[in-house]
């Protein structure tokens, strides 16, 4: 159970934060909602009070005897402001403290997450860009808004990520808050005296600030006819956990997603594809400017030689066998592209789903694919595909093995990024 402050500023997306609040409460967290006065025009005080089970105030003149404007920030484990409007970002960047939310932001010593939502013009305005840069420099985690339909008929960057995604961000950050002396994130030890990691909650050495990463996720589909395909059970959960985690470490993240039905990962740009050949083209196009590429997608090795234009019907006779032809090996081609383009510093990571993992076979596969790291995870019997948990051994080009014990897909993502960050240094 953590003490979470949910700040809400005056954007139309405030209604999504009611769902976020529910998710946080259902996870057992104690949540204090601090709306701005104008935010209450969108969602009223009774909604926040009823869903949180806590009093709601917007100004510093309520419960003065409790010195709420100082106490709330000081005692929180995490503050998230969703939506964070352009005005709220400007006031936070200027260090203003005229209401309870901005005063709380000034007194908080815990991780602070800001989830901006506004019209594209406001998000792209140089004033907002400068405010976001300043807040990030000071340690706040600012999640890039999603792209899509905005309040009017317009579309573009500026949407608040889905509540499930914001909840996943909160959970991922809270999972990193651990007592001093404990070891987290594959070998990074919390300095004595600290109870939480530094402002961004990721040690500088493991940060991906300023890095560009491209991640493939999901399972490709190879069409047989207009209604059928050859596919697999990948849901994209592992890839999206990697994307979320990289965004929280400050990376610019692009996800090439094959048939994923999850909400877009917070802070990432999503390129949608269907087949292995689509993914091949998208990954090679995106990889050119990336510092790291990670292939978590389950890619069909083969596709039907021919796709029928009409639905294949049964006619009582024995059906023809499906003739298959080989798909391009994307991971292999990414490693080849890197060498060809002189981008030797780029880190290339593959995943391998194995029903019977074997170290020798893993090392041979890594060499065959030409990647730097191969994350070998056991699959089958409810493991790997679609599950919330995962476990793996990460093999490196140099021959090292890093076991990752069973835990959440987010926890596995953290270790992978630690290993990637170490190679990028
Ligand atoms: O999405 P989830 O439900 O969360 O499940 C996650 C996962 C189990 C799919 C994921 O953790 C995983 O193991 N992904 C790799 C699955 C896989 O296809 O492994 P593979 O052994 O077939 O391929 C090895 C590597 O080569 C992979 O990085 C794969 O993306 C890549 N590959 C494979 C074939 C191909 N034609 N091109 C490729 O790039």
């Amino acid at each position: 159970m953590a003490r979470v402050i949910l700040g809400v500023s005056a954007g139309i997306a405030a209604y999504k934060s009611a769902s976020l609040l529910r998710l946080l409460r259902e996870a057992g967290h104690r949540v204090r909602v601090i709306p701005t006065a104008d935010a209450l025009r969108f969602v009223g005080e009774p909604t926040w009070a009823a869903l949180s089970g806590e009093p709601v105030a917007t100004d510093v003149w309520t419960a003065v005897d409790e010195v709420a404007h100082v106490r709330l920030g000081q005692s929180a484990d995490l503050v998230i402001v969703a939506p964070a409007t352009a005005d709220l970002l400007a006031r936070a960047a200027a260090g203003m403290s005229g209401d309870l939310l901005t005063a709380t932001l000034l007194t908080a010593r815990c991780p602070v997450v800001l989830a901006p939502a506004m019209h594209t013009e406001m998000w792209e305005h140089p004033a907002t860009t400068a405010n976001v840069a300043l807040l990030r420099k000071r340690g706040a985690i600012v999640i890039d808004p999603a792209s899509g339909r905005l309040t009017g008929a317009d579309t573009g960057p500026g949407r608040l990520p889905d509540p499930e995604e914001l909840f996943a961000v909160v959970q991922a950050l809270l999972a990193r808050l651990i007592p001093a002396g404990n070891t987290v994130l594959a070998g990074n030890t919390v300095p004595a005296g600290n109870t939480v990691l530094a402002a961004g909650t990721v040690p500088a050495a493991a940060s991906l600030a300023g890095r560009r990463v491209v991640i493939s996720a999901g399972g490709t589909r190879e069409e047989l006819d207009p209604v059928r395909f050859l596919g697999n059970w990948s849901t994209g959960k592992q890839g999206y956990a990697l994307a979320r985690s990289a965004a929280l470490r400050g990376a610019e993240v692009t996800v090439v997603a094959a048939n994923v039905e999850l909400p877009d990962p917070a802070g990432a740009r999503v390129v949608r594809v269907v087949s292995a050949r689509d993914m091949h083209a998208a990954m090679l196009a995106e990889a050119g400017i990336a510092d790291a590429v990670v292939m978590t997608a389950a890619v069909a090795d083969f596709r039907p030689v021919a796709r029928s234009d009409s639905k294949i019907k049964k006619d009582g006779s024995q059906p023809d066998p499906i003739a298959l032809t080989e798909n391009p090996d994307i991971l292999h081609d990414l490693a080849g592209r890197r060498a060809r383009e002189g981008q030797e510093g780029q880190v290339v990571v593959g995943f391998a789903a194995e029903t019977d993992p074997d170290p020798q076979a893993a090392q041979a596969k890594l060499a065959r694919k030409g990647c730097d790291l191969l994350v070998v995870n056991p699959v089958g019997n409810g493991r790997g595909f679609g599950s919330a948990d995962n476990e793996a051994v990460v093999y490196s080009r140099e021959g090292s093995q890093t076991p990752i014990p069973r835990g959440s897909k987010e926890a596995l993502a953290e270790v992978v990024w630690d290993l990637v960050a170490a190679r990028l240094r």
Side-chain angles (χ1 to χ4, degrees):
M1 198 269 287
R3 285 155 304 176
V4 176
I5 290 190
L6 172 58
V8 184
S9 57
I12 187 81
Y15 74 93
K16 289 191 188 175
S17 287
S19 301
L20 172 60
L21 172 55
R22 270 209 106 102
L23 292 168
L24 292 168
R25 294 280 289 132
E26 279 163 14
H29 301 310
R30 189 168 168 192
V31 187
R32 180 78 187 245
V33 182
I34 309 182
T36 61
D38 282 344
L40 296 182
R41 293 169 180 253
F42 289 104
V43 180
E45 186 263 345
T47 302
W48 302 119
L51 289 178
S52 68
E54 298 272 343
V56 173
T58 61
D59 59 53
V60 297
W61 306 113
T62 308
V64 176
D65 54 323
E66 292 173 19
V67 204
H69 71 290
V70 177
R71 185 182 50 80
L72 290 172
Q74 282 175 340
S75 60
D77 295 310
L78 185 133
V79 177
I80 177 164
V81 183
T85 58
D87 178 72
L88 188 279
L89 294 173
R91 289 192 292 132
M96 293 171 80
S97 58
D99 61 10
L100 190 55
L101 180 53
T102 47
T104 300
L105 290 173
L106 274 191
T107 52
R109 291 292 172 270
C110 58
V112 171
V113 183
L114 301 162
M118 61 197 74
H119 279 278
T120 305
E121 293 80 355
M122 297 173 94
W123 172 246
E124 290 177 347
H125 193 283
T128 306
T129 306
N131 290 331
V132 167
L134 184 57
L135 289 161
R136 281 186 172 143
K137 198 164 150 228
R138 291 189 192 136
I141 297 164
V142 184
I143 300 170
D144 281 351
S147 225
R149 180 87 195 266
L150 302 171
T151 316
D154 46 347
T155 58
R159 271 172 73 83
L160 188 70
D162 283 359
E164 295 78 9
E165 263 304 307
L166 293 174
F167 173 68
V169 163
V170 170
Q171 292 293 80
L173 286 168
L174 288 174
R176 294 182 191 164
L177 307 183
I178 44 97
N182 283 14
T183 301
V184 288
L185 307 182
N188 296 306
T189 303
V190 182
N194 284 19
T195 50
V196 296
L197 298 176
T201 76
V202 172
S207 160
L208 294 172
R211 301 291 190 178
R212 289 190 168 128
V213 304
V214 181
I215 302 158
S216 72
T220 59
R221 292 180 182 176
E222 309 300 323
E223 282 189 277
L224 279 164
D225 69 13
V227 299
R228 302 182 183 91
F229 58 83
L230 301 178
N232 62 70
W233 295 109
S234 173
T235 56
K237 280 184 191 167
Q238 185 61 73
Y240 277 30
L242 279 149
R244 200 180 299 121
S245 161
L248 289 178
R249 287 169 183 244
E252 196 179 301
V253 183
T254 300
V255 181
V256 176
N259 312 298
V260 178
E261 286 171 14
L262 304 169
D264 288 355
R269 182 170 72 92
V270 180
V271 176
R272 285 172 215 292
V273 296
V274 175
S275 68
R277 282 183 296 173
D278 297 343
M279 179 169 276
H280 185 254
M283 285 302 290
L284 282 146
E286 297 289 341
I289 50 163
D291 297 293
V293 288
V294 183
M295 284 291 302
T296 67
V299 182
D301 285 320
F302 300 96
R303 66 177 183 278
V305 169
R307 173 196 182 273
S308 168
D309 286 337
S310 54
K311 186 179 167 193
I312 300 167
K313 300 223 168 44
K314 62 177 179 183
D315 60 7
S317 60
Q318 186 67 19
D320 290 335
I322 299 169
L324 298 175
T325 184
E326 202 165 335
N327 271 327
D329 189 321
I330 306 168
L331 183 56
H332 180 268
D333 289 356
L334 284 167
R337 190 210 66 83
R338 163 181 68 171
R340 260 195 329 277
E341 312 273 318
Q343 238 183 313
E344 307 296 350
Q346 184 181 72
V347 180
V348 178
V349 183
F351 269 63
E354 304 290 354
T355 46
D356 305 295
D358 162 56
Q360 261 186 338
Q363 212 70 54
K365 191 172 208 171
L366 182 147
R368 213 169 47 242
K369 298 272 185 180
C371 52
D372 299 301
L373 300 172
L374 188 69
V375 185
V376 179
N377 48 179
V379 293
N381 300 322
R383 296 178 306 172
F385 289 93
S387 59
D389 287 355
N390 204 359
E391 65 184 277
V393 177
V394 186
Y395 294 83
S396 78
R397 188 152 54 131
E398 296 77 19
S400 70
Q401 296 180 20
T402 308
I404 308 176
R406 178 148 289 272
S408 67
K409 285 185 170 167
E410 282 73 19
L412 188 141
E414 298 295 355
V415 181
V416 171
W417 288 128
D418 279 350
L419 295 171
V420 170
R423 298 187 83 89
L424 286 171
R425 277 204 300 279

